[in-house]
Amino acid sequence: MAKQPSIEDQFRAIEEAVAALEGGELPLEEALKRYEAGLKAVRAAKGQLDAFQARLEELKADPAG
């Protein structure tokens, strides 16, 4: 099973996709691929952040940690 990229890796992928798209020089097909890759990274990062938040809530609820 492949290791899930870190949250930092996801943010980096999002930044790269945004930078490439903002350049405005990509052919349409490549721009769509970059957009899809960025969107995939956003969804993965949101999932990780949601998991982190759930874990924090769990820790707050259990003072023994």
Side-chain angles (χ1 to χ4, degrees):
M1 189 164 121
K3 182 183 172 211
Q4 182 177 3
S6 70
I7 191 82
E8 292 83 7
D9 290 338
Q10 298 296 354
F11 288 154
R12 199 169 5 269
I14 294 164
E15 290 171 354
E16 289 172 2
V18 169
L21 291 167
E22 284 181 339
E25 308 252 341
L26 296 175
L28 185 56
E29 189 67 30
E30 181 63 22
L32 182 58
K33 287 179 185 179
R34 296 287 182 104
Y35 179 81
E36 289 174 332
L39 192 55
K40 181 179 176 183
V42 166
R43 289 179 177 150
K46 182 178 181 334
Q48 288 176 301
L49 289 172
D50 289 345
F52 294 155
Q53 182 177 7
R55 180 68 178 132
L56 286 172
E57 293 299 323
E58 186 180 302
L59 290 171
K60 283 182 7 185
D62 182 12

